[in-house]
Amino acid sequence: MGMSLIEGNEAVAYGALAAGCRFFAGYPITPATTILNTMLSLLPPAGGICLQGEDEIASIGYCLGASMTGMKAMTATSGPGISLYSEHISFAIGSEIPIVIVNVQRLGPSTGSATRGADGDINFMRWGSSSGLPVIVLAPVDVGDCYSLTMQAFNLAETYRCPVFLASNKEIGMTRESIDLAAVEQPPVFNRTMATDSEHFLPFQIKNGQSVPYFLPIGDNVPVRQTSSTHGIDGYITTNTDEIASFQQRLYDKLQTTVDRYSYHEIGGQDASTLLITYGVTAQAAKTAVRVCNRLGAPVSLLVLKTLWPVPESLIRRTAREAKRVVVLEMNLGQYVNEIRRILPGKTIDFYGQMDGRLITPGQIEEVITRG
Amino acid sequence: MDSLLNKNRPPVFCPGCAHDRVTQALDKGFHLLDMAGNQIAIVSDIGCSGLFDTFFNTHALHGLHGRALTYAAGIKLAKPELNVVVTMGDGGQGIGGAHLLAACRRNLNMTLLVLNNFNFGMTGGQFSATTPADAQVGSGFLNRLERPLDICGVARSAGAVYVRRCSSYQKDLAEEIAKAVAFEGFAVLDIWGICPGRYTRANKLSPKDIAAALKQLPPETGEVPENRRQEYGVHYRKTAKNLKPVAPPATIEKQFEPPQPGRHEVLLLGNAGQRIITAGEILCLAGMTAGLYATQKNEYNITVLRGPSISEMLLSEERIDYTGIGIPDVVIALSQEGVERRTSLLARLDKKTLVLKAPGVNLPPSAAEEFYLDFKSRGIKPQDWALSALATLAKQNRIISNGMLRGALTTRFRGDILTAVLRLLNQITAQ
């Protein structure tokens, strides 16, 4: 077993390369810059392309163009960049362009604190587009997750043809950890499904049982259309309200109804009436706190969510079935807790959050557990 | 080759719209170049110029206002063999100004057709970046206060290799377009035209007026000799071909036993220039040579050559979940600025903590055991103090051993630097 010392951002880049990513464009921003740096050292020698865009809007725009030629594309930024990505996130949602977007979160609002961590963009990533249509958001806990969840993010982006966020955090992205990369879970690599009948190709045609259209790249033998406008199956603007309604419903259903297939998570602790629910870097402290509490005879169980959006409702209901008290821990002032309250009516839901650039410590969590 | 116009989707412009002319000329231009639809990608954005992609049987990508050049660059880099033609209006040119500058500077082999009709036709004739100050448009008096932009002048000064100003009505527009598309590099055509739906309702502008106005301006003759250079994609691929693949991250096998069992936290407080972050990495690598799990968090000012530099390390026999630091086992204090960032923590140190302290550094009073580092009198330069402090720890067999530190250094460094750091290690541990 050989261990390497790498930070979360480097692990994202290695995971992307392993998933088949060959196009990256980004604009430097702390704490995401080292993803750009690492992709720049990895991609060009591997026959891929890495660009530094003139701004964030351009960076994701380059990725969307490249993705439409069939390349697996990724971009990375932090909160201020996600703000600028918004119009292109909507484009990727509505026009079903696969892309992985890494958000190494930092303390906001606005330019905020470049070198302080937070999980302040959890709702922003879900709702920061102009449609309200769903996206996928995965949340790594540590460097190993940065690697394997980046691979999963590509798989999901390709399978469902949608933007997939990796909700990292300065405290994961820029923290170095010793890790045995060879031992990290390597999911099989998926690619988008290509249309076989290119003669009769319609870019948004849906056949029976399909929820995602087959793909042909721009540059294929037959002309391929892509548009950001509300379109019919032929990729031209439509004004047919029935067609529009079924298109919107399909974009909603293709993610909302499939989340059980990619509800990544960890369950820890002992069966207990108190259940902690958390995600991201706070899960590191929660794992430690739960271990200490269980050793001291204070039973508590832990659910670490690694798929945040769509909300893995059945996983959460199932895991919380026996719990009387649910404590939601977040590195913000309360965002995902509202989903938990919505899903678990009738249960006592406590919230513990902090947003001052410091990590929530295991000690704080132990206190929350025993105080209940 | 037949016309590439989409017979099922004839142009839908207002009667008399200049865009209609450009549509026909673009089709003829493709014909002159003998291009098939699958060899072309038309990339458009918002406004009436954004309808272009629908009129042709080519690859097409229609996106957000002003951003067409960004998608086009992604497509061209991924598929260099495609002929990429971008249509934008003067509106998209204004909102996407940064992308025009970047495209000119980059010089990818693409063609930009700016369909310049001096206003935002689709939203009611508001003023754009090219609206003359004396025009009557849908933005009240606002355009009178601003100066219109010369697209060609901007493109040329931003480094475009091919710049041409045309009229939608000139007879050889198709030939002009064909020349621009065939040109190896980023070509910009600023094509002036009339928007009958909005602009000419209140402003007099005829094809003749456009021809006369173009004559008044210094001519843009196409290729810009002073900007001539390699095409970006060719240059990129040529450069990338000579890059060596990056080696995967170095791996470390367990070779030693750690001097003390359990989990250890080390806080390194110093200044920019003292190689604090590198020393933190070395400590982690040293731990890993004894099979320990390791983590490192760093903190430094954005002015990287000035101010405090702090590194927090955990070494543990067990998997480390929480990577934050509590009460450290060892504090290495090499600068006052670094200490001041952690005063409240330092005041809480108990007697299990060992503080290695450089001269002149004052810590708040605490129960910690103190050990004085005097590297200065031994002629060791400040940039080597952090590593020397690790050597001091190794000498005391505290958290790391001499062998572990040596193992880390031989993993991290090569050549002359390795020789120098090993000499330093020997100097400290021999005493």
Side-chain angles (χ1 to χ4, degrees), chain B residues 83-363:
Chain B
N83 296 283
V84 178
V85 175
V86 178
T87 60
M88 274 167 66
D90 40 304
Q93 157 37 46
I95 188 176
H99 312 312
L100 176 70
L101 299 182
C104 292
R105 294 178 52 223
R106 189 175 291 129
N107 191 31
L108 268 168
N109 183 13
M110 315 191 291
T111 311
L112 170 63
L113 309 178
V114 183
L115 282 75
N116 184 355
N117 62 9
F118 314 104
N119 75 150
F120 285 82
M122 210 175 247
T123 51
Q126 292 81 7
F127 83 114
S128 76
T130 64
T131 307
D134 58 2
Q136 294 289 325
V137 290
S139 305
F141 66 91
L142 295 177
N143 64 296
R144 281 183 245 148
L145 313 182
E146 291 190 20
R147 195 177 142 149
L149 186 87
D150 172 15
I151 292 168
C152 292
V154 168
R156 200 166 4 88
S157 63
V161 288
Y162 189 100
V163 179
R164 197 96 165 94
R165 205 182 279 116
C166 305
S167 163
S168 306
Y169 307 96
Q170 66 190 65
K171 289 205 174 68
D172 59 350
L173 183 61
E175 285 78 7
E176 286 293 349
I177 291 175
K179 261 198 274 179
V181 172
F183 183 79
E184 274 287 313
F186 186 58
V188 181
L189 293 192
D190 175 16
I191 307 174
W192 291 20
I194 290 165
C195 172
R198 301 290 187 189
Y199 192 76
T200 52
R201 285 184 168 196
N203 301 284
K204 188 185 160 311
L205 186 69
S206 67
K208 255 191 196 159
D209 295 332
I210 288 177
L214 290 179
K215 258 198 190 132
Q216 296 283 315
L217 290 166
E220 296 289 354
T221 53
E223 198 169 351
V224 184
E226 67 269 29
N227 290 343
R228 195 178 298 147
R229 62 196 189 277
Q230 279 193 80
E231 195 268 338
Y232 182 89
V234 171
H235 202 175
Y236 193 107
R237 289 185 289 277
K238 212 187 321 176
T239 311
K241 218 173 158 183
N242 295 322
L243 298 173
K244 284 199 185 101
V246 179
T251 56
I252 294 182
E253 306 281 341
K254 178 174 174 172
Q255 314 159 43
F256 305 103
E257 288 304 321
Q260 289 97 37
R263 170 186 164 114
H264 304 283
E265 305 190 352
V266 177
L267 175 62
L268 194 42
L269 304 167
N271 257 356
Q274 286 182 324
R275 298 179 180 157
I276 298 296
I277 312 298
T278 306
E281 183 187 351
I282 298 292
L283 180 78
C284 289
L285 297 176
M288 289 159 65
T289 65
L292 300 178
Y293 292 94
T295 67
Q296 182 189 18
K297 280 188 199 290
N298 302 314
E299 182 182 328
Y300 45 86
N301 278 9
I302 48 163
T303 52
V304 290
L305 297 182
R306 193 192 287 276
S309 182
I310 294 170
S311 200
E312 300 175 347
M313 283 71 60
L314 305 182
L315 298 179
S316 174
E317 285 177 312
E318 281 177 23
R319 229 194 95 90
I320 299 165
D321 286 320
Y322 177 65
T323 55
I325 204 164
I327 298 293
D329 302 85
V330 170
V331 176
I332 298 169
L334 301 178
S335 91
Q336 197 59 39
E337 275 184 295
V339 164
E340 274 159 19
R341 283 285 174 98
R342 291 290 185 278
T343 38
S344 65
L345 170 69
L346 295 172
R348 287 188 283 123
L349 297 180
D350 53 35
K351 56 177 190 267
K352 74 156 191 157
T353 305
L354 169 69
V355 177
L356 302 181
K357 209 173 80 156
V361 177
N362 297 309
L363 274 71

Side-chain angles (χ1 to χ4, degrees), chain A residues 9-10 12-14 16-17 21-26 28 32-53 74 76, chain B residues 232 236 239-241 243-246:
Chain A
N9 284 348
E10 291 172 279
V12 165
Y14 286 113
L17 190 72
C21 174
R22 290 296 178 272
F23 194 97
F24 180 92
T33 308
T34 44
I35 298 177
L36 168 60
N37 296 347
T38 313
M39 292 309 274
L40 186 54
S41 68
L42 292 179
L43 279 190
I49 294 153
C50 178
L51 279 190
Q52 180 180 315
M74 179 171 88
Chain B
Y232 182 89
Y236 193 107
T239 311
K241 218 173 158 183
L243 298 173
K244 284 199 185 101
V246 179

Side-chain angles (χ1 to χ4, degrees), chain A residues 1 3-4 41 50 54 62 87-88 142 171 175-176 178 219-222 224-226 228 236 284 291, chain B residues 6 9 38 53 59-60 62 67 70-71 78 99 106 236 246 250 252-253 294-297 319 321 323:
Chain A
M1 176 181 87
M3 301 283 263
S4 303
S41 68
C50 178
E54 59 272 26
Y62 296 137
E87 61 176 351
H88 277 148
D142 53 23
E171 293 288 353
T175 298
R176 283 176 171 150
S178 55
D220 198 72
N221 286 333
V222 296
V224 171
R225 276 194 60 74
Q226 178 56 283
S228 56
Y236 290 99
Q284 298 179 355
R291 213 170 30 237
Chain B
N6 183 347
R9 294 182 180 269
N38 63 4
D53 60 277
H59 295 289
H62 167 85
R67 316 301 173 200
T70 72
Y71 320 127
H99 312 312
R106 189 175 291 129
Y236 193 107
V246 179
I252 294 182
E253 306 281 341
T295 67
Q296 182 189 18
K297 280 188 199 290
R319 229 194 95 90
D321 286 320
T323 55

Side-chain angles (χ1 to χ4, degrees), chain B residues 406 416-429:
Chain B
R406 187 172 289 269
D416 291 347
I417 301 177
L418 178 61
T419 313
V421 293
L422 289 177
R423 196 185 305 129
L424 183 69
L425 176 60
N426 289 337
Q427 186 188 342
I428 303 288
T429 51

Side-chain angles (χ1 to χ4, degrees), chain A residues 69 218-220, chain B residues 35 38-41 75-84 109 237:
Chain A
T69 69
I218 285 181
D220 198 72
Chain B
M35 283 179 180
N38 63 4
Q39 297 175 302
I40 300 162
I75 292 169
K76 184 68 188 179
L77 278 164
K79 295 256 168 140
E81 68 280 10
L82 270 180
N83 296 283
V84 178
N109 183 13
R237 289 185 289 277

